[in-house]
Amino acid sequence: MGSVGVLILFMVAGAVICAKARVAGGAVAFSLIALVLFIATPVGSGLPDAISTFVSAFDQAATPALNGAGASAGSGQ
């Protein structure tokens, strides 16, 4: 996969062209293929872990607020 950079550039250009032509399905398809190609590179291999860490941190921060634990702890109940 020596030319993966060229393929990613082609996919991004295709997504932009489809978006300008208001073809949402084509733009989404080109973007997804570009994302898969990017994750296949050594630079993008850490992207799934980074997204997982972000979502996990967001979940840990939001869970007490959604369960009402923060409100009941402050009211002394």
Side-chain angles (χ1 to χ4, degrees):
M1 273 192 130
S3 61
V4 72
V6 175
L7 291 174
I8 292 172
L9 180 63
F10 173 72
M11 292 296 144
V12 171
V16 169
I17 291 170
C18 286
K20 290 274 188 182
R22 297 180 189 229
V23 181
V28 169
F30 274 113
S31 298
L32 288 176
I33 294 170
L35 181 64
V36 168
L37 288 173
F38 178 71
I39 290 174
T41 64
V43 174
S45 64
L47 186 64
D49 291 333
I51 293 172
S52 173
T53 302
F54 174 76
V55 171
S56 176
F58 186 80
D59 181 48
Q60 289 175 356
T63 298
L66 294 174
N67 290 340
S72 64
S75 63
Q77 294 178 355

